[in-house]
Amino acid sequence: MVWNGGGCAGKKTWRDRREDYAVARLSGRYFENKIMNGDLTVRQAYLVLNALPNIGPISLNRLLDELGGDPREVLAASTRQLESVERVGPAISGTLKNWTKHFDLAREEVRMAQADTVFVTRDDVGYPALLKEISDPPIGLYRNGGYEFEQPCIAIVGSRRTTLYGQSIAKKFGAELARLGFCIVSGLARGIDTAAHEGALSVSGKTAAVLGCGIDIIYPPENLDLYRQIEAGGAILSEFPFTRRADRQSFPMRNRVVAGICEAVIVVESDVSGGSMITARFAGEQGRLLYAVPGRIDQATSQGCHQLIRDGATLLTSVDDILSELNYLNGLRPAPIPQKEGSDTNESSAIDLSPEEAQVMACFAGGSILSPDEITHHTQLNAATLAPLLMMLELKRAISRRLDGNFEARS
């Protein structure tokens, strides 16, 4: 069951709602008895700790490490034991001792069952391995979808207010990397995120969306179908409990998870104050590889990428740039997605070109090596129109720029 905006995406009858309320009441009494008897499971205790207000992941991980790693021990600890842990004061200890006033475990379990959601703890095999290495990993993640992150991941992020150029690049990189066996991670937002997910899905590859809100809230709402497609073959992740709305705190928390899951982060388009710059900062702090795609110098959504490149991010023009740096050669590269029977194995013949791009490519027939002026002469396209076409063809790996500034078709 997928929920939208705190309510169910599909309409429910009054009978359905009465049944839900009855289940919730019964579950509530059941959990009250378990709580009184101290019979919470480890997973339920993790759910409780993860949902409590004003206790961040750093404090939660410190409490777990100091008190033996069992979340039930944290909930059962005395006030003195809790406050003996570094940076745990009366506010946090008070919340932990009175957690039933802050979190309805019974209701959360009912919602999870209705939505077919699982809660993956930091101790589970399905918890992304690289995420455990960051300084403040979530103690658990809500997950819809059965994918358990067996493949290495690469994030593709960027602006919500994007250009057609940026969308096409994100979709192309998403498709190429997914075809090579990587899982594409992004945030399900409008613009670049959506294009990256769609690119991976277009080749039946794996993709995961990390949300900055509860897993039952679809934002933006027009991505409901995309949400369902990702859920069917990949994973939807959130560290936030059901009905939690996105805010200024939740999005940066989401961004650290996006970077933390991945081997590398690609920023396609972003202005200098965009959320993708926060993801890029996390990638740098976490020791991930960071790439930025160049754009037009007069385009606001390219300014963030250009700043990242000036600050040391790797300029990205093709998937080869990533593969060489990740060093997934000699058997270390993930297994590529098998091509469908009868499909063309020649990558260059599968390049999708616009009419103007095809016009430019025709100039290279017979192995010609041409300067921009010569291409302008052959195509009758002005320089302002030709420059982005040449950049796009480079990114599509149809042509390459030589050291002398001339261009030639890739063999």
Side-chain angles (χ1 to χ4, degrees):
M1 183 73 70
V2 177
W3 296 69
N4 187 0
C8 184
K11 293 183 178 179
K12 285 195 170 189
T13 65
W14 285 108
R15 178 177 296 176
D16 293 333
R17 290 173 182 171
R18 285 199 301 272
E19 290 176 354
D20 288 346
Y21 295 147
V23 170
R25 286 197 299 272
L26 289 171
S27 298
R29 289 195 292 272
Y30 173 73
F31 280 117
E32 285 173 6
N33 291 332
K34 291 179 74 66
I35 292 164
M36 292 296 293
N37 296 328
D39 291 335
L40 288 181
T41 67
V42 171
R43 194 171 309 278
Q44 288 166 345
Y46 268 121
L47 268 171
V48 171
L49 290 177
N50 184 74
L52 293 179
N54 305 318
I55 307 178
I58 293 178
S59 295
L60 288 173
N61 280 290
R62 186 179 291 125
L63 282 162
L64 286 164
D65 293 341
E66 290 290 331
L67 298 175
D70 189 331
R72 295 171 298 185
E73 294 298 324
V74 177
L75 293 175
S78 67
T79 299
R80 178 178 294 181
Q81 286 177 302
L82 293 172
E83 294 184 8
S84 68
V85 177
E86 182 183 0
R87 296 188 180 180
V88 174
I92 291 179
S93 65
T95 299
L96 289 166
K97 298 302 292 182
N98 299 284
W99 69 262
T100 55
K101 296 180 180 179
H102 300 281
F103 180 60
D104 190 334
L105 177 59
R107 180 179 297 176
E108 194 79 352
E109 292 268 5
V110 170
R111 287 168 171 161
M112 290 174 63
Q114 290 174 331
D116 197 22
T117 300
V118 298
F119 187 74
V120 183
T121 77
R122 68 176 194 169
D123 301 328
D124 292 332
V125 174
Y127 190 97
L130 281 180
L131 190 58
K132 296 179 182 180
E133 299 177 2
I134 70 175
S135 61
D136 55 347
I139 64 169
L141 294 166
Y142 292 82
R143 188 187 75 207
N144 281 357
Y147 181 61
E148 294 190 342
F149 297 89
E150 300 92 348
Q151 302 164 209
C153 299
I154 293 180
I156 300 178
V157 297
S159 176
R160 291 172 173 81
R161 298 183 299 275
T162 188
T163 65
L164 291 176
Y165 159 78
Q167 292 175 32
S168 66
I169 292 303
K171 193 167 186 178
K172 171 183 167 61
F173 282 162
E176 288 188 359
L177 289 166
R179 188 184 291 115
L180 289 168
F182 294 94
C183 174
I184 303 304
V185 177
S186 200
L188 198 72
R190 295 185 181 100
I192 296 301
D193 290 17
T194 293
H197 290 306
E198 290 175 343
L201 292 169
S202 71
V203 297
S204 301
K206 295 298 183 185
T207 183
V210 184
L211 307 185
C213 54
I215 203 165
D216 57 324
I217 298 175
I218 312 263
Y219 184 81
E222 64 265 25
N223 274 354
L224 174 59
D225 286 341
L226 180 59
Y227 182 111
R228 288 172 172 163
Q229 291 178 56
I230 297 171
E231 182 182 19
I236 307 288
L237 299 176
S238 174
E239 68 178 297
F240 304 107
F242 277 70
T243 74
R244 166 69 185 269
R245 295 284 184 173
D247 55 35
R248 290 184 177 180
Q249 181 184 15
S250 67
F251 279 125
M253 292 178 70
R254 183 273 305 272
N255 294 343
R256 94 187 191 289
V257 173
V258 169
I261 288 174
C262 297
E263 304 271 358
V265 172
I266 300 170
V267 182
V268 176
E269 283 187 327
S270 177
D271 59 38
V272 292
S273 59
S276 299
M277 300 294 281
I278 298 175
T279 309
R281 177 172 60 80
F282 280 124
E285 293 174 353
Q286 296 166 2
R288 307 303 190 241
L289 298 175
L290 179 60
Y291 299 88
V293 176
R296 289 176 46 156
I297 61 173
D298 60 348
Q299 188 74 44
T301 53
S302 297
Q303 292 177 4
C305 290
H306 295 161
Q307 177 175 306
L308 290 173
I309 293 169
R310 288 195 299 270
D311 292 343
T314 301
L315 186 151
L316 183 64
T317 59
S318 76
V319 168
D320 289 342
D321 298 335
I322 299 175
L323 297 181
S324 60
E325 193 161 358
L326 284 175
N327 197 26
Y328 278 118
L329 300 175
N330 301 323
L332 295 178
R333 185 185 300 177
I337 296 173
Q339 289 195 326
K340 295 180 180 179
E341 187 175 351
S343 64
D344 192 340
T345 58
N346 187 341
E347 186 177 354
S348 63
S349 65
I351 296 175
D352 183 20
L353 300 178
S354 69
E356 288 184 327
E357 290 169 351
Q359 182 184 358
V360 173
M361 286 303 299
C363 300
F364 295 97
S368 299
I369 298 173
L370 302 172
S371 68
D373 289 341
E374 290 171 325
I375 300 171
T376 298
H377 173 74
H378 288 301
T379 61
Q380 298 301 304
L381 297 172
N382 60 47
T385 302
L386 182 62
L389 289 174
L390 292 173
M391 178 179 291
M392 183 65 74
L393 288 170
E394 279 191 273
L395 291 170
K396 289 184 176 182
R397 301 170 65 196
I399 63 174
S400 61
R401 185 195 298 266
R402 294 159 52 93
L403 293 176
D404 58 9
N406 294 329
F407 292 87
E408 62 181 336
R410 284 179 176 258
S411 56

